[in-house]
Amino acid sequence: MSSVEQAYKEHLKSFSDELIRLQAPLQVLDAIKWPREQEIRFLASGGQRMPDIDADYYRRRKLNFEPDTTREALKSLKKRIRKQLGSKDPLGRILVKNIEQYQLVVELLLARGKEDFGYISQQLYGSARHKLHGDRHTLRQLGDRLSYLFSLPAARRINKRHPKSITAKEAVDELSHRLNRYFLNDDILVRLSDGIVSDAAVGGDTIKLNSQAMFSQADLNVYEVHEGWAHLGTTLNGRAQPWATWLRSGSPRVAATQEGLAVLLEMLTLSSTPGRARRISDRVTAVDMAENGADFIEVYRHFRGQNLSEKDSYRVTQRVFRGGVVTGGSCFTKDISYVRGYVENINFIRAAITAGMPELIPMLFVGKLAIEDIPVLYQAYKRGIVVAPEYLPPMFEDYSGLYAWFGFATGLAGIDLKGVQRHFQRLFKDLPTIDPIPEFLDDETEFDDSSD
């Protein structure tokens, strides 16, 4: 290794380590979370009482950083990276993109409970009004389409096969066993928590399960691959990077790739259920409604009208309004990342296969990254700057099965299958449980989710 190459690596590591230090206090989800008492009060009112969350509530929740100091430190770091590595250095440009994201995060957290919060969130995570790459349909339209499929009577019958009969303590024990078997070289902590509103949350190398919740085997299957293989796996692979240390922690620009990859693993391992898939799809609808001015109660009532339970209707609504304005128009748009990222990950894999470069596929797990970073990171891997991911799900470690799966899918994508589908639908037409297909599903224009 030349002295120039060694010096470059050391500069990259120094800048990356500094970014990791600066972004550590910028904990978005922690800064915008709601207390569980809000859910209790809201449901006790029969969904009639607006949550007591406003700008004053957030002002009382002190941030873990000093905004002006953090702004200046991020600005200085960006300037030094451009000066030392050069404005056109590929890895330096990724670092700068992440810094710019964290600069926006500072402004996002200062705008909690205000109109500007929603606008900044759209800059970071996107909007439900945004269109899929290369397609005229919006994320909201895709979300509606998926929500319909996952709310059919057949889907509701399937959901009943997964009773929540496992206590939180039992769930901790089983999930710990599964994940410590997968992460052989690292100790993974699964623990009970009284401080989370959702049933499960992940941070660093720890998964927290709500001590008050009950779980099904299907829930544990999802947590194993979503929180475990995807989120924990990329965290640990990022921590193993000797030079590109920023890969251990992701800015908002990696959210779609991370969440989409986690959902893709749910699908590839057949771990998901119609109920779980619907909750993910419904989040896009909730974001779109809030962006368009619906208030908290209106969004909640929408989901109650769609046969969601009181608790599920509250939680999908609460996820979107945290940090924003409960009267509507300003919301947290991160929840579009699941559907958007799922589409992007699928098409990245398909594109890698059709381009004859399936070796790019495992790079999805090298750390916390955005898909568009992968070509640069792959070149860095070839130069010895980035190391290969240690923890890979089986289908990504030996990607011959993925190649065959997505190869078939790519081949069929160019064929009009509507006539074939209608042939089989005619066989079902006399069965009482089949719902009529709504117009938007029978549109002659199919979704084209191909990547640019």
Side-chain angles (χ1 to χ4, degrees):
M1 181 190 306
S2 70
S3 59
V4 173
E5 183 78 357
Q6 182 63 30
Y8 174 83
K9 290 179 177 179
E10 290 175 356
H11 284 308
L12 186 70
K13 181 180 184 334
S14 175
F15 292 139
S16 299
D17 288 347
E18 186 171 350
L19 178 57
I20 290 295
R21 179 182 62 80
L22 291 176
Q23 64 81 39
L26 307 181
Q27 300 298 318
V28 175
L29 298 185
D30 185 64
I32 64 174
K33 68 182 179 182
W34 291 11
R36 186 178 298 154
E37 291 73 22
Q38 288 291 333
E39 178 178 355
I40 296 171
R41 283 198 294 266
F42 182 82
L43 296 182
S45 75
Q48 302 293 323
R49 175 180 173 176
M50 195 72 80
D52 302 320
I53 302 289
D54 56 17
D56 286 337
Y57 164 80
Y58 292 113
R59 197 160 26 246
R60 292 191 296 271
R61 289 184 55 83
K62 299 298 183 184
L63 296 172
N64 296 324
F65 62 94
E66 206 291 311
D68 289 339
T69 302
T70 303
R71 283 190 185 113
E72 287 304 312
L74 289 169
K75 180 180 179 181
S76 172
L77 178 59
K78 182 166 68 171
K79 183 177 180 180
R80 284 183 282 126
I81 289 172
R82 285 175 168 165
K83 181 178 179 180
Q84 188 69 52
L85 301 183
S87 61
K88 295 183 179 180
D89 180 76
L91 293 175
R93 292 176 72 174
I94 292 176
L95 270 173
V96 166
K97 287 179 183 178
N98 282 302
I99 291 170
E100 291 170 345
Q101 289 271 292
Y102 289 124
Q103 289 175 313
L104 278 175
V105 168
V106 172
E107 307 310 317
L108 178 82
L109 297 183
L110 289 174
R112 293 174 299 169
K114 303 174 183 177
E115 292 294 332
D116 284 350
F117 180 91
Y119 172 70
I120 301 170
S121 179
Q122 289 171 346
Q123 291 180 271
L124 289 168
Y125 301 103
S127 165
R129 295 189 293 270
H130 288 173
K131 295 180 180 180
L132 298 164
H133 290 304
D135 196 274
R136 67 180 178 84
H137 295 83
T138 64
L139 286 166
R140 167 66 192 266
Q141 288 173 304
L142 178 56
D144 284 346
R145 181 177 188 175
L146 295 172
S147 292
Y148 166 79
L149 292 171
F150 297 132
S151 61
L152 290 171
R156 293 197 292 271
R157 292 198 303 273
I158 292 172
N159 291 329
K160 292 179 180 177
R161 299 176 185 172
H162 303 284
K164 293 183 180 291
S165 57
I166 302 172
T167 67
K169 175 63 169 64
E170 292 168 337
V172 165
D173 292 342
E174 181 171 343
L175 198 56
S176 296
H177 174 72
R178 294 188 191 188
L179 292 179
N180 282 304
R181 184 174 54 191
Y182 179 84
F183 295 106
L184 290 175
N185 298 322
D186 289 271
D187 292 327
I188 302 302
L189 179 62
V190 184
R191 66 177 180 85
L192 296 174
S193 174
D194 294 323
I196 59 174
V197 176
S198 58
D199 288 344
V202 64
D205 55 5
T206 301
I207 294 178
K208 302 174 186 178
L209 298 184
N210 192 323
S211 60
Q212 306 300 314
M214 296 290 290
F215 302 89
S216 67
Q217 279 294 336
D219 292 332
L220 300 190
N221 293 340
V222 166
Y223 299 155
E224 179 181 8
V225 299
H226 186 115
E227 273 73 20
W229 295 8
H231 293 328
L232 290 182
T234 51
T235 293
L236 294 175
N237 290 335
R239 287 181 182 176
Q241 295 300 328
W243 311 109
T245 58
W246 82 83
L247 289 169
R248 70 180 59 190
S249 181
S251 68
R253 65 186 291 269
V254 314
T257 302
Q258 271 286 298
E259 300 299 353
L261 186 61
V263 173
L264 177 59
L265 281 175
E266 294 180 36
M267 304 307 167
L268 291 175
T269 57
L270 306 182
S271 299
S272 196
T273 64
R276 163 70 176 171
R278 182 185 173 184
R279 285 195 296 276
I280 290 172
S281 305
D282 283 344
R283 292 171 185 175
V284 181
T285 301
V287 169
D288 187 66
M289 291 183 68
E291 284 183 311
N292 284 298
D295 66 25
F296 189 95
I297 292 176
E298 289 171 326
V299 176
Y300 169 80
R301 287 176 178 170
H302 168 81
F303 290 112
R304 288 294 290 133
Q306 299 295 314
N307 296 314
L308 254 64
S309 70
E310 290 182 348
K311 185 176 80 169
D312 286 344
S313 296
Y314 173 86
R315 291 192 175 178
V316 70
T317 306
Q318 178 262 335
R319 289 177 62 96
V320 168
F321 279 91
R322 53 187 171 166
V325 179
V326 295
T327 53
S330 173
C331 67
F332 189 46
T333 62
K334 177 180 179 288
D335 272 354
I336 67 169
S337 300
Y338 297 81
V339 170
R340 176 186 143 203
Y342 177 69
V343 172
E344 291 177 350
N345 274 275
I346 284 178
N347 283 284
F348 170 81
I349 294 172
R350 286 170 58 180
I353 289 171
T354 56
M357 299 190 68
E359 62 270 19
L360 293 178
I361 297 172
M363 296 296 293
L364 286 164
F365 288 87
V366 81
K368 305 295 186 186
L369 52 81
I371 279 181
E372 58 264 30
D373 298 341
I374 288 181
V376 170
L377 294 174
Y378 183 70
Q379 291 300 320
Y381 161 71
K382 300 292 282 186
R383 291 170 57 191
I385 299 173
V386 169
V387 300
E390 177 180 3
Y391 295 114
L392 277 172
M395 71 287 293
F396 284 85
E397 190 165 16
D398 177 5
Y399 47 78
S400 58
L402 278 179
Y403 193 106
W405 178 300
F406 284 98
F408 266 113
T410 302
L412 291 174
I415 300 174
D416 183 0
L417 298 176
K418 287 184 178 179
V420 179
Q421 293 169 357
R422 290 193 178 105
H423 166 75
F424 289 108
Q425 287 170 352
R426 283 193 290 272
L427 297 180
F428 308 147
K429 66 180 181 180
D430 294 327
L431 297 176
T433 57
I434 300 298
D435 283 2
I437 299 177
E439 261 183 47
F440 73 90
L441 282 179
D442 201 30
D443 192 324
E444 283 302 316
T445 303
E446 290 289 330
F447 281 91
D448 175 8
D449 58 3
S450 58
S451 298
D452 288 339

